[in-house]
């Protein structure tokens, strides 16, 4: 038994080392990708539930690595954060948004506001906040063009960095949505502290609403509390008409999900908004 135990530890160590090497290679590739501007943004429409109209969009970062293929943001965003280039990536994303918007404007459409996901890790360096605000100004990304989303978890863990940038953005008129609401440490007092204008109800609650009375009650409670604070609610991951109907009956304000539109490349999003504006 002792021999097998040793064997197992050796195999475990090998696997561990392989994993670390893999991470290091991916991190290097990501550093290169930023230099070569390989990251792009996909845009997913967000609709007003009552009118059914497209009201704004969320920008979701994409990385299609020539060597590694498409890597999901859930994998490479944390990698950028631990490797210390979350700030670079965040600024890079602003540049992308600016270029895509310029293309849309040139095509003659009025682009809807786009919500960008922020990582609190983008703002830990002294001077990072100033650099970010400066970039917004240089690129002309004003509050009618851009909004921000920050996960509840990030806002909680990096309290100082998050508070500082959120306060500045709010003062300048940018709308803030608290992302993944209900999955983290949220308490109601916290909602009050953050002073967001929207909260995004996590997909896990929306998905369970059909089958689970508890999930439906939870969504209703979140919507009611938010409204009591003057905060609007966005349901994430809406995939069926039935979910949309329930959300409408609960008074949820906005919906986002595959039912209404998948995240799409900038050119496809241009087609979508052109069609909307022609109607
Ligand atoms: P998130 O901000 O909660 O984004 C919503 C995720 O749900 C996106 O995954 C989106 O593609 C997916 N989604 C939307 N509708 C549906 C649906 O109906 N069904 C299902 N199953 N999924 C749906 P994605 O694009 O893989 O992004 C994952 C996470 O990565 C995001 O979660 C966000 O936390 C992070 N992320 C994405 N883009 C950025 C970025 O530019 N910066 C930062 N810091 N983080 C980002
Ligand atoms: Ca988000
Ligand atoms: Ca979310
Ligand atoms: Ca989510």
């Amino acid at each position: 038994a002792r021999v097998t135990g040793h064997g197992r530890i050796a195999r475990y160590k090998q696997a561990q080392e392989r994993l670390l090497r893999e991470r290091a290679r991916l991190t290097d590739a990501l550093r290169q990708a930023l230099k070569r501007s390989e990251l792009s943004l996909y845009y997913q429409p967000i609709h007003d539930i009552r009118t059914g109209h497209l009201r704004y969009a969320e920008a979701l970062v994409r990385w299609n690595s020539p060597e590694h293929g498409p890597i999901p943001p859930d994998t490479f965003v944390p990698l950028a954060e631990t490797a210390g280039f979350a700030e670079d990536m965040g600024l890079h994303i602003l540049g992308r948004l600016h270029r895509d918007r310029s293309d849309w404007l040139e095509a003659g459409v009025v682009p809807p506001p786009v919500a960008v996901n922020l990582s609190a890790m983008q703002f830990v360096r002294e001077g990072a906040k100033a650099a970010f605000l400066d970039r917004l100004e240089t690129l002309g990304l004003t509050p009618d063009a851009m909004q921000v989303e920050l996960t509840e978890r990030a806002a909680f863990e990096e309290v100082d960095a998050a508070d500082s940038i959120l306060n500045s953005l709010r003062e300048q008129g940018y709308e803030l949505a608290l992302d993944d609401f209900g999955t983290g440490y949220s308490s109601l007092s916290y909602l009050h502290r953050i002073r967001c204008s929207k909260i995004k109800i996590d997909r896990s609650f929306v998905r369970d609403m059909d089958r689970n009375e508890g999930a439906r009650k939870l969504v209703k409670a979140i919507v009611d509390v938010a409204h009591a604070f003057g905060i609007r609610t966005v349901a994430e991951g809406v995939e069926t008409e039935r979910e949309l109907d329930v959300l409408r009956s609960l008074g949820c304000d906005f919906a986002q999900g595959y039912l209404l539109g998948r995240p799409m490349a900038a050119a496809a999003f241009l087609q979508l908004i052109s069609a909307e504006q022609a109607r």
Side-chain angles (χ1 to χ4, degrees):
R2 193 159 285 160
V3 174
T4 4
H6 277 300
R8 208 176 284 152
I9 289 169
R11 271 203 308 280
Y12 174 76
K13 273 191 170 161
Q14 275 173 8
Q16 193 79 351
E17 277 162 14
R18 219 174 18 248
L19 214 69
L20 284 174
R21 268 199 308 276
E22 191 53 38
R23 269 181 75 93
R25 279 183 50 213
L26 214 55
T27 306
D28 280 343
L30 182 56
R31 195 178 281 117
Q32 289 299 319
L34 278 171
K35 283 209 196 95
R36 300 189 207 129
S37 286
E38 277 169 23
L39 299 190
S40 60
L41 290 175
Y42 268 38
Y43 298 89
Q44 187 175 29
I46 300 177
H47 289 230
D48 181 317
I49 292 188
R50 267 172 303 269
T51 65
H53 290 154
L54 190 163
R55 288 294 296 281
Y56 70 110
E58 177 176 8
L60 295 155
V61 69
R62 293 291 179 262
W63 177 27
N64 194 356
S65 159
E67 307 102 69
H68 305 270
I71 319 278
D74 281 333
T75 302
F76 73 81
V77 171
L79 223 53
E81 289 175 343
T82 47
F85 43 89
E87 185 185 346
D88 269 0
M89 194 176 78
L91 294 173
H92 190 86
I93 284 167
L94 293 184
R96 269 283 159 205
L97 173 59
H98 169 71
R99 254 175 298 169
D100 291 341
R101 270 183 56 82
S102 303
D103 289 345
W104 300 335
L105 286 165
E106 222 168 274
V109 303
V110 184
V114 172
V116 167
N117 289 283
L118 299 184
S119 152
M121 295 299 287
Q122 277 175 250
F123 302 103
V124 287
R125 182 185 68 88
E126 173 122 6
K129 181 178 90 170
F132 187 85
L133 295 174
D134 194 63
R135 190 65 62 91
L136 289 182
E137 197 177 348
T138 311
L139 298 174
L141 291 171
T142 49
D144 58 317
M146 199 192 83
Q147 306 182 1
V148 296
E149 297 189 1
L150 189 73
T151 64
E152 175 193 29
R153 186 174 30 82
F156 190 87
E157 281 166 3
E158 300 292 332
V159 177
D160 290 344
D163 264 5
S164 173
I165 182 69
L166 294 183
N167 283 330
S168 299
L169 288 171
R170 197 184 304 107
E171 271 163 27
Q172 297 195 14
Y174 290 93
E175 271 201 53
L176 164 70
L178 206 53
D179 212 341
D180 298 343
F181 190 81
T183 60
Y185 311 85
S186 57
S187 72
L188 297 177
S189 66
Y190 181 69
L191 248 194
H192 187 57
R193 200 200 84 203
I194 279 290
R195 287 181 294 146
C196 54
S197 57
K198 288 187 285 245
I199 58 181
K200 301 192 77 173
I201 303 170
D202 195 69
R203 184 172 94 83
S204 52
F205 303 119
V206 174
R207 191 185 46 208
D208 292 346
M209 277 187 332
D210 308 12
R211 282 161 288 151
N212 184 331
E213 170 87 29
R216 198 159 54 241
K217 283 186 173 158
L218 205 57
V219 171
K220 177 165 170 39
I222 293 173
V223 170
D224 290 347
V225 169
H227 286 172
F229 280 93
I231 295 168
R232 284 174 300 172
T233 47
V234 187
E236 290 185 330
V238 180
E239 294 185 353
T240 67
E241 287 289 352
R242 211 184 120 69
E243 287 165 353
L244 192 62
D245 286 343
V246 176
L247 289 163
R248 191 182 293 112
S249 75
L250 298 180
C252 184
D253 302 282
F254 299 102
Q256 171 181 14
Y258 295 167
L259 175 69
L260 302 160
R262 295 207 169 227
M264 60 193 97
F269 190 67
L270 171 62
Q271 296 300 310
L272 182 74
I273 52 182
S274 305
E276 285 263 326
Q277 281 168 22
R279 276 198 295 148

